[in-house]
Amino acid sequence: MITDSHAHLTWRSYGEDLGAVLARARAAGVERVIVPGTDVASSRAALALGAAAPAVFPAAGIHPHDAAGADAGARAEIEALCRQPECVAVGESGLDYAKEYSPRRAQLECFCWQLDLARRLDKPIIVHCRDAHADTARIVTEFAGIRGVMHCYAFGPAELAPYLEAGFLISFAGAVTYPGNEENREAARAVPADRLLVETDSPFLAPQAHRGRRNEPAYAAEILARIAEVRGEDPVALARFTSANATRLFALPEVGN
């Protein structure tokens, strides 16, 4: 049993075949999918999808790309969505200095607001970090005691310490399969088993065998197999470990319940 801990199934590229996508995921052994929101509209859609598809568990948040437009009304709605019991996490939140679609100041302020929201609601936070390790690590450290996951971890082993020390889980996506990404594989080898998650970040970052095409949750099995190979572990055992970690972090029901 595999849990895809991050997939944007509300993305427009799934508009015509989402049922088939979920069926392929089940056939590949992917039995649960966490679907984060990135703004008010996608967060609403994630909760609606979760209500319609038992294997889908929604989160609500504001992506750093959308931080500049997150006014008081948007934040109030995100908070209301996060307060719903079916919402398993706050996010996708975080910092992105690679493209800076929102100014850094707006990103930092919105990230801190969502960390505070996660603390007030006692829910985990899903953190995006691209080219912003120093600020992300500093802020996560300042909000000690919050549960969360570094989604789509893109760095090597040298950057792991502040996130692991903060108690965060580390999730690896399709980039861990890319031939030139040995540092990321070293990080996947270094993360303790009880802190490890796998994800697809669908529809983005398809693993090497599907690179350049739309990603989907079924491919989490291939990502997990590559991580198991790197760690010298049995893929079935690693699937159980990572799914147990997802159950614990997101307070998910066990499969079949």
Side-chain angles (χ1 to χ4, degrees), residues 190-210:
V191 173
D194 65 349
R195 299 291 194 85
L196 188 65
L197 293 175
V198 295
E199 65 171 89
T200 57
D201 198 19
S202 298
F204 315 107
L205 293 175
Q208 184 63 26
H210 310 277

Side-chain angles (χ1 to χ4, degrees), residues 19-236:
V21 167
L22 290 172
R24 285 193 292 271
R26 288 192 298 272
V30 180
E31 299 190 33
R32 301 183 304 190
V33 184
I34 307 298
V35 176
T38 57
D39 57 14
V40 170
S42 61
S43 294
R44 285 183 193 147
L47 267 78
L49 179 58
V56 169
F57 297 88
I62 300 169
H63 192 282
H65 289 343
D66 298 288
D71 59 15
R75 293 188 187 190
E77 184 148 7
I78 290 295
E79 179 164 348
L81 292 169
C82 286
R83 286 185 178 278
Q84 296 190 31
E86 59 268 32
C87 181
V88 300
V90 177
E92 178 178 352
S93 182
L95 302 174
D96 193 315
Y97 294 170
K99 295 183 178 180
E100 290 197 62
Y101 291 144
S102 288
R104 292 190 184 189
R105 182 174 179 178
Q107 292 188 42
L108 289 161
E109 201 273 333
C110 193
F111 183 29
C112 289
W113 174 77
Q114 289 177 92
L115 281 160
D116 181 67
L117 177 62
R119 180 163 56 191
R120 287 188 282 116
L121 300 182
D122 191 25
K123 290 191 175 183
I125 189 163
I126 299 167
V127 177
H128 170 110
C129 176
R130 188 174 181 193
D131 291 357
H133 166 66
D135 279 348
T136 305
R138 173 181 58 80
I139 292 168
V140 163
T141 301
E142 290 173 358
F143 283 83
I146 289 180
R147 294 171 291 132
V149 54
M150 296 304 299
H151 123 76
C152 194
Y153 183 80
F155 305 108
E159 290 81 12
L160 281 171
Y163 308 120
L164 292 175
E165 289 169 6
F168 273 48
L169 277 70
I170 311 295
S171 185
F172 291 88
V176 78
T177 70
Y178 298 167
N181 211 0
E182 191 57 39
E183 275 210 346
N184 197 230
R185 285 188 284 278
E186 286 294 325
R189 185 180 292 116
V191 173
D194 65 349
R195 299 291 194 85
L196 188 65
L197 293 175
V198 295
E199 65 171 89
T200 57
D201 198 19
S202 298
F204 315 107
L205 293 175
Q208 184 63 26
H210 310 277
R211 200 167 179 181
R213 301 194 291 275
R214 184 190 70 175
N215 201 0
E216 58 180 72
Y219 303 155
E222 299 176 31
I223 296 165
L224 185 138
R226 184 69 176 104
I227 294 171
E229 179 184 12
V230 165
R231 292 170 64 92
E233 296 175 6
D234 174 61
V236 174

